[in-house]
Each structure stands twice: as C-alpha cells, then as structure tokens.
Amino acid sequence: MTTSASPAASPRSSPAASRVERAARWLVDQHLGRRPFAGFPADCAPADVGEAYAVQDAFVAMKARACGRPVGWKIALSNPAMQRFVGLDEPVAGRILQRQLVGAPARARAADYGRLLVEFEIAVELGEDLPPRAGGYSRSRVAEAVAAVRPAFELADDRGADYRTLNAHGLQLVADNAWNEGAVLGERRTDWRRLELAELDGFVAIDGQQVGAGSGRDLMGHPLDALAWLASQVSRRGLTMRAGEVAILGSLVTSKFPRPGEQLDFALEGFDRITLQVD
C-alpha cells in the first residue's frame, strides 16, 4: 500500500518558508530512496512544533501528487510515556491519503516499506465539518459529528528507526507525518451509539496466536476524547476536519512488525474481525 511521493512545489520567499520547503523535499527524497530513518540536515531541521507541522503540510502536499488528496487524519503517541520517550509533550496529528486508504481484508508487501509496522485502531467517519473553533472541541461536540465507527489497521513505515535515539527526533516524527503509509478499514457501524466505546475490547493475533489486547479506554481515556484532542489540535492550526473524512484514533495494542507470510487479525468487540496478509 505504500506509494512514492513526487517532489514539486513553488519557491517560497522567507528564510523559514525556504527551510520548510527544503525539509519537505528532503523527506520526499528519503522516502523515494528508501533510506533509513535519519535526522534532518542542520540547515532544514524544524525549529519548533509549529514549523514541524508546516513541514508536514508541505510534505503531505508533495506526497499527494502520487498518493491522492488527504481524506483522513491520525493520532500518534497518544500515550504520555511515549510522548516523553520522543521528547514531546502531546500527541502528534497526521494525514491519511486517498490511495492509501482501503477496505479489509487487505494485503501489504513488506518489501514496499523500509520496515512495516502495523497498529490496531478505532476509526471514526465524520458526518459534518469540524472547522476552527475558539476554545477547541469537547467530547460531546465531536460526538455529534461522528457518522460511523469502524475497526482499522494503520500501516506505517519507521524506515528502520533506532528507537534508542528517537528522543532527539520528536519534531521529525511530526514533520514526517507520523510515519503514516495508510489505513485499512473494517465494518462500518452507524449505530455506534449503542456501543460503549471506552469499554470495547480489541484482540490482535498473528497467524492465529494472540499477541496483544487493549480497550477503547486506552485511547486517551475514551476514543471520543482522542477525537476531541485531534479536532482541537487541527482547529488551532486553522484547519478543518471535513465531513466524509476518517480519523484513526491511536492503537489499542503495541505496534507489531510483521514478517512476510504472516496474517494479522484484529477483532474489535461489536465488529467483524479484519485481516491483513503480509506478503
């Protein structure tokens, strides 16, 4: 499911904008060349979180030429311990692109990634826009915008990152679109209000052997609290989450690094099991 990015963008004028452009192009080159994860060159490293998101926006715009327009959102590092591990103090928001969003069951080729990692998520579909809003969004307000809930895999590529050094590269995770390379969506339930989302249990198996379990409460206390954080973060950046878009809200289970030939199953309570075959 991974797809190459295509570098092309118009020149920018200010030094900061020029640095953002160089950083985005450097990321595109890294992905196209299948190079191992490495820190930014000093001349284009983001200075702060705001600049890192500016790089992400530029990188996503370049990648969209090959992968289709942005149609969804993701949350990474929803756990405070993981945030501290990479030197950040809040989760990371990212985008999902059209040609990298598919339905289950799905297949992925390990050889198409530097190092494929898979996460196990609750996804929501939006039925209305969530535009910039003073004060951000509450759980109750975002709940009004949810049209459906689905189980999901996230496919990501850490390009062989050395996790012992990630505390020096937190801003790079932001800029690199939190490593997203797509998502696989399962059964769509519009009657999701009949479910207690925080109490949903999820179970992960590889080749039939259970390898992890979690629940909706692992997503920032409640999946809708995770969605409220995401909508508020997007709002602070002056952006809108659009009706019809999908948001995946973080993994219920620790990331897995599947090998060719393995089948991953994710059973989320109240939904049909979804599968991903890795070739």
Side-chain angles (χ1 to χ4, degrees), residues 101-223:
L101 186 65
V102 301
R107 305 182 79 96
R109 287 200 331 141
D112 289 338
Y113 302 81
R115 181 167 60 184
L116 172 65
L117 66 88
V118 179
E119 298 194 334
F120 311 90
E121 317 230 353
I122 293 175
V124 298
E125 289 182 14
L126 298 179
E128 64 177 81
D129 290 354
L130 294 174
R133 174 186 174 98
Y137 283 89
S138 65
R139 180 198 299 187
S140 60
R141 177 63 189 89
V142 296
E144 296 172 4
V146 174
V149 173
R150 309 174 74 165
F153 294 113
E154 182 187 5
L155 277 64
D157 187 355
D158 73 359
R159 293 186 288 126
D162 182 349
Y163 285 71
R164 296 169 299 179
T165 66
L166 282 186
N167 62 344
H169 300 299
L171 294 180
Q172 184 147 343
L173 287 174
V174 176
D176 202 359
N177 197 35
W179 292 341
N180 180 263
E181 291 293 342
V184 179
L185 299 178
E187 179 187 4
R188 183 178 184 271
R189 287 193 59 169
T190 58
D191 64 344
W192 64 270
R193 288 175 178 81
R194 297 174 55 186
L195 305 171
E196 178 46 65
L197 296 184
E199 302 303 318
L200 296 184
D201 291 322
F203 302 92
V204 174
I206 297 179
D207 290 341
Q209 298 295 312
Q210 186 173 318
V211 294
S215 74
R217 72 177 68 88
D218 296 324
L219 305 179
M220 302 177 73
H222 192 290

Side-chain angles (χ1 to χ4, degrees), residues 202-277:
F203 302 92
V204 174
I206 297 179
D207 290 341
Q209 298 295 312
Q210 186 173 318
V211 294
S215 74
R217 72 177 68 88
D218 296 324
L219 305 179
M220 302 177 73
H222 192 290
L224 293 178
D225 286 338
L227 179 59
W229 176 86
L230 179 60
S232 298
Q233 199 278 342
V234 170
S235 173
R236 290 195 300 272
R237 291 160 59 195
L239 304 176
T240 296
M241 298 180 71
R242 301 287 181 186
E245 292 185 331
V246 172
I248 57 175
L249 302 176
S251 190
L252 277 64
V253 177
T254 55
S255 304
K256 304 303 176 187
F257 297 89
R259 294 173 294 192
E262 292 183 334
Q263 177 177 298
L264 284 71
D265 296 318
F266 178 39
L268 181 64
E269 184 180 4
F271 295 84
D272 293 338
R273 183 183 63 183
I274 61 175
T275 63
L276 174 69
Q277 179 66 45

Side-chain angles (χ1 to χ4, degrees), residues 79-101:
N79 184 296
M82 287 303 299
Q83 295 159 28
R84 291 191 295 271
F85 183 69
V86 301
L88 298 174
D89 58 8
E90 68 172 8
V92 177
R95 302 306 310 267
I96 302 170
L97 298 176
Q98 184 178 35
R99 294 179 193 142
Q100 296 181 316
L101 186 65

